[in-house]
Amino acid sequence: QVQLVESGGGLVQAGGSLRLSCAASGRTFSLNSMAWFRQAPGEEREFVGKITSLVSGGTYVADSVKGRFTISGDNAKNTLLLQMNSLKPEDTAVYFCAAGRRSGLGYGAAVYDYWGQGTQVTVSS
């Protein structure tokens, strides 16, 4: 059993910044992948970014947020951060933290085992 809790969402003007945090608890020793997804109203859930290596701290973010969003964490396995800069109205969505038992998970939401409840990010123009 793993629990994921997102925090840090809110309302921000275009060009502003927010930092989202995902805290994992429970059987966190079993986790080998963590990622961020987002879902806007009427849209499918899309990949935002993930940790690619727990050893090196390598990360990968989607092209749509590259150069603006950064993945990091004090503990790459149990805590995942999403620093969002230069926010745009099209970034408005519910942002979800996801985790999986398997390593090397990709970008499809279906491959992740655990999900948080999401945190709302609203960017006004």
Side-chain angles (χ1 to χ4, degrees), residues 31-78:
L31 299 180
N32 288 287
S33 299
M34 294 189 73
W36 284 100
F37 289 78
R38 67 184 182 184
Q39 188 167 21
E43 303 292 333
E44 62 185 1
R45 192 166 298 185
E46 69 170 332
F47 171 81
V48 176
K50 70 174 184 178
I51 298 291
T52 59
S53 174
L54 297 178
V55 175
S56 68
T59 63
Y60 174 81
V61 298
D63 289 343
S64 60
V65 301
K66 189 177 299 181
R68 300 187 297 118
F69 290 11
T70 302
I71 301 291
S72 64
D74 293 333
N75 185 322
K77 187 174 182 178
N78 297 332

Side-chain angles (χ1 to χ4, degrees), residues 110-123:
V111 304
Y112 289 86
D113 302 302
Y114 307 101
W115 293 87
Q117 294 184 0
T119 184
Q120 177 70 47
V121 172
T122 302
V123 184

